[in-house]
Amino acid sequence: MKRKPSTEATAAWIRLMRVQSRVLDAVEQELKKAGYPPLAWYDALLELSRAPSGEMRPVELEKQMLIPQYSTSRLIDRLVDEGLAARRECKIDKRGQFVEITEAGRELQKKMWSAYSAAIEKHVGSKLSDADAVRLCGLLDRLGCSCNEAPVLAARDGAPAR
């Protein structure tokens, strides 16, 4: 018979799910108050901006995003409609596509970071010391999160750590 989670592990799971939901909701509200589109837009634009030559296949974008993947194709449609991204046919595989960030997309992602970073500070940073944050990353790493140092350093330069 397989072992069941302890009461403590179950309590940790519940807290992890609740805090994730509450903080994401709070960040979404902060972006909305600042007049920006949803966090999913930022996340997609960030991933595209980090990609070599600013483009990715849609399936690659789905894998990299912090948000649920079920609505990525509609998100890509919206970004293209707003001129923040463009679709491009793959020259090698004519059936394949790439999604490429536009200059307008890069500008919006950078502008959104000011509100997003303030929300991260308000809802996470102000509640944890740097030492607490390092300990939390270590615990999350043990769960498979892989918070590594390169993205943390990149966050200091205008993009969130993953």
PDB file of all heavy atoms in Angstrom, residues 136-151:
ATOM      1  N   LEU A 136      13.018  29.965   1.266  1.00  0.00           N
ATOM      2  CA  LEU A 136      11.817  29.533   0.547  1.00  0.00           C
ATOM      3  C   LEU A 136      12.182  28.974  -0.822  1.00  0.00           C
ATOM      4  O   LEU A 136      11.656  27.931  -1.240  1.00  0.00           O
ATOM      5  CB  LEU A 136      10.823  30.690   0.421  1.00  0.00           C
ATOM      6  CG  LEU A 136       9.518  30.378  -0.306  1.00  0.00           C
ATOM      7  CD1 LEU A 136       8.766  29.235   0.370  1.00  0.00           C
ATOM      8  CD2 LEU A 136       8.647  31.629  -0.374  1.00  0.00           C
ATOM      9  N   CYS A 137      13.079  29.632  -1.539  1.00  0.00           N
ATOM     10  CA  CYS A 137      13.528  29.110  -2.835  1.00  0.00           C
ATOM     11  C   CYS A 137      14.137  27.724  -2.668  1.00  0.00           C
ATOM     12  O   CYS A 137      13.885  26.829  -3.483  1.00  0.00           O
ATOM     13  CB  CYS A 137      14.530  30.053  -3.490  1.00  0.00           C
ATOM     14  SG  CYS A 137      13.761  31.440  -4.328  1.00  0.00           S
ATOM     15  N   GLY A 138      14.917  27.541  -1.612  1.00  0.00           N
ATOM     16  CA  GLY A 138      15.511  26.224  -1.357  1.00  0.00           C
ATOM     17  C   GLY A 138      14.453  25.161  -1.131  1.00  0.00           C
ATOM     18  O   GLY A 138      14.552  24.045  -1.660  1.00  0.00           O
ATOM     19  N   LEU A 139      13.434  25.493  -0.356  1.00  0.00           N
ATOM     20  CA  LEU A 139      12.342  24.542  -0.115  1.00  0.00           C
ATOM     21  C   LEU A 139      11.582  24.252  -1.406  1.00  0.00           C
ATOM     22  O   LEU A 139      11.252  23.099  -1.698  1.00  0.00           O
ATOM     23  CB  LEU A 139      11.386  25.076   0.953  1.00  0.00           C
ATOM     24  CG  LEU A 139      11.948  25.156   2.369  1.00  0.00           C
ATOM     25  CD1 LEU A 139      10.998  25.942   3.276  1.00  0.00           C
ATOM     26  CD2 LEU A 139      12.198  23.756   2.924  1.00  0.00           C
ATOM     27  N   LEU A 140      11.310  25.276  -2.178  1.00  0.00           N
ATOM     28  CA  LEU A 140      10.597  25.078  -3.443  1.00  0.00           C
ATOM     29  C   LEU A 140      11.444  24.284  -4.431  1.00  0.00           C
ATOM     30  O   LEU A 140      10.909  23.472  -5.199  1.00  0.00           O
ATOM     31  CB  LEU A 140      10.159  26.421  -4.026  1.00  0.00           C
ATOM     32  CG  LEU A 140       9.100  27.151  -3.194  1.00  0.00           C
ATOM     33  CD1 LEU A 140       8.889  28.561  -3.736  1.00  0.00           C
ATOM     34  CD2 LEU A 140       7.804  26.372  -3.139  1.00  0.00           C
ATOM     35  N   ASP A 141      12.751  24.496  -4.414  1.00  0.00           N
ATOM     36  CA  ASP A 141      13.647  23.703  -5.264  1.00  0.00           C
ATOM     37  C   ASP A 141      13.497  22.217  -4.955  1.00  0.00           C
ATOM     38  O   ASP A 141      13.504  21.381  -5.857  1.00  0.00           O
ATOM     39  CB  ASP A 141      15.109  24.111  -5.069  1.00  0.00           C
ATOM     40  CG  ASP A 141      15.476  25.410  -5.757  1.00  0.00           C
ATOM     41  OD1 ASP A 141      14.652  25.933  -6.540  1.00  0.00           O
ATOM     42  OD2 ASP A 141      16.587  25.904  -5.491  1.00  0.00           O
ATOM     43  N   ARG A 142      13.346  21.890  -3.679  1.00  0.00           N
ATOM     44  CA  ARG A 142      13.183  20.483  -3.288  1.00  0.00           C
ATOM     45  C   ARG A 142      11.880  19.911  -3.834  1.00  0.00           C
ATOM     46  O   ARG A 142      11.760  18.702  -4.025  1.00  0.00           O
ATOM     47  CB  ARG A 142      13.246  20.348  -1.770  1.00  0.00           C
ATOM     48  CG  ARG A 142      14.647  20.537  -1.268  1.00  0.00           C
ATOM     49  CD  ARG A 142      14.824  20.595   0.209  1.00  0.00           C
ATOM     50  NE  ARG A 142      14.065  19.667   1.000  1.00  0.00           N
ATOM     51  CZ  ARG A 142      13.938  19.759   2.328  1.00  0.00           C
ATOM     52  NH1 ARG A 142      14.528  20.757   2.973  1.00  0.00           N
ATOM     53  NH2 ARG A 142      13.234  18.884   2.988  1.00  0.00           N
ATOM     54  N   LEU A 143      10.914  20.768  -4.115  1.00  0.00           N
ATOM     55  CA  LEU A 143       9.648  20.326  -4.709  1.00  0.00           C
ATOM     56  C   LEU A 143       9.706  20.322  -6.233  1.00  0.00           C
ATOM     57  O   LEU A 143       8.724  20.016  -6.893  1.00  0.00           O
ATOM     58  CB  LEU A 143       8.500  21.228  -4.237  1.00  0.00           C
ATOM     59  CG  LEU A 143       8.184  21.184  -2.746  1.00  0.00           C
ATOM     60  CD1 LEU A 143       7.100  22.194  -2.410  1.00  0.00           C
ATOM     61  CD2 LEU A 143       7.773  19.782  -2.318  1.00  0.00           C
ATOM     62  N   GLY A 144      10.841  20.723  -6.800  1.00  0.00           N
ATOM     63  CA  GLY A 144      11.014  20.691  -8.245  1.00  0.00           C
ATOM     64  C   GLY A 144      10.883  22.034  -8.925  1.00  0.00           C
ATOM     65  O   GLY A 144      10.758  22.103 -10.139  1.00  0.00           O
ATOM     66  N   CYS A 145      10.915  23.111  -8.183  1.00  0.00           N
ATOM     67  CA  CYS A 145      10.731  24.443  -8.747  1.00  0.00           C
ATOM     68  C   CYS A 145      11.952  24.918  -9.525  1.00  0.00           C
ATOM     69  O   CYS A 145      11.821  25.588 -10.531  1.00  0.00           O
ATOM     70  CB  CYS A 145      10.411  25.446  -7.635  1.00  0.00           C
ATOM     71  SG  CYS A 145      10.151  27.113  -8.232  1.00  0.00           S
ATOM     72  N   SER A 146      13.133  24.610  -9.049  1.00  0.00           N
ATOM     73  CA  SER A 146      14.389  25.023  -9.674  1.00  0.00           C
ATOM     74  C   SER A 146      14.536  26.527  -9.807  1.00  0.00           C
ATOM     75  O   SER A 146      14.661  27.070 -10.896  1.00  0.00           O
ATOM     76  CB  SER A 146      14.570  24.368 -11.044  1.00  0.00           C
ATOM     77  OG  SER A 146      14.832  23.016 -10.877  1.00  0.00           O
ATOM     78  N   CYS A 147      14.502  27.226  -8.705  1.00  0.00           N
ATOM     79  CA  CYS A 147      14.810  28.658  -8.686  1.00  0.00           C
ATOM     80  C   CYS A 147      16.329  28.744  -8.714  1.00  0.00           C
ATOM     81  O   CYS A 147      16.974  28.543  -7.697  1.00  0.00           O
ATOM     82  CB  CYS A 147      14.304  29.316  -7.394  1.00  0.00           C
ATOM     83  SG  CYS A 147      12.540  29.206  -7.159  1.00  0.00           S
ATOM     84  N   ASN A 148      16.895  29.027  -9.901  1.00  0.00           N
ATOM     85  CA  ASN A 148      18.350  29.106  -9.955  1.00  0.00           C
ATOM     86  C   ASN A 148      18.815  30.556  -9.953  1.00  0.00           C
ATOM     87  O   ASN A 148      18.027  31.472 -10.103  1.00  0.00           O
ATOM     88  CB  ASN A 148      18.920  28.310 -11.134  1.00  0.00           C
ATOM     89  CG  ASN A 148      18.411  28.813 -12.464  1.00  0.00           C
ATOM     90  OD1 ASN A 148      18.157  30.004 -12.630  1.00  0.00           O
ATOM     91  ND2 ASN A 148      18.248  27.917 -13.405  1.00  0.00           N
ATOM     92  N   GLU A 149      20.105  30.756  -9.798  1.00  0.00           N
ATOM     93  CA  GLU A 149      20.654  32.101  -9.606  1.00  0.00           C
ATOM     94  C   GLU A 149      20.568  32.998 -10.834  1.00  0.00           C
ATOM     95  O   GLU A 149      20.389  34.183 -10.709  1.00  0.00           O
ATOM     96  CB  GLU A 149      22.115  32.009  -9.150  1.00  0.00           C
ATOM     97  CG  GLU A 149      22.275  31.521  -7.737  1.00  0.00           C
ATOM     98  CD  GLU A 149      21.593  32.429  -6.727  1.00  0.00           C
ATOM     99  OE1 GLU A 149      21.676  33.653  -6.865  1.00  0.00           O
ATOM    100  OE2 GLU A 149      20.962  31.919  -5.796  1.00  0.00           O
ATOM    101  N   ALA A 150      20.702  32.457 -12.046  1.00  0.00           N
ATOM    102  CA  ALA A 150      20.686  33.313 -13.239  1.00  0.00           C
ATOM    103  C   ALA A 150      19.394  34.110 -13.359  1.00  0.00           C
ATOM    104  O   ALA A 150      19.444  35.321 -13.553  1.00  0.00           O
ATOM    105  CB  ALA A 150      20.944  32.488 -14.491  1.00  0.00           C
ATOM    106  N   PRO A 151      18.210  33.482 -13.224  1.00  0.00           N
ATOM    107  CA  PRO A 151      16.986  34.279 -13.310  1.00  0.00           C
ATOM    108  C   PRO A 151      16.857  35.285 -12.156  1.00  0.00           C
ATOM    109  O   PRO A 151      16.300  36.350 -12.335  1.00  0.00           O
ATOM    110  CB  PRO A 151      15.868  33.246 -13.253  1.00  0.00           C
ATOM    111  CG  PRO A 151      16.491  31.988 -13.780  1.00  0.00           C
ATOM    112  CD  PRO A 151      17.920  32.064 -13.278  1.00  0.00           C
TER     113      PRO A 151
END
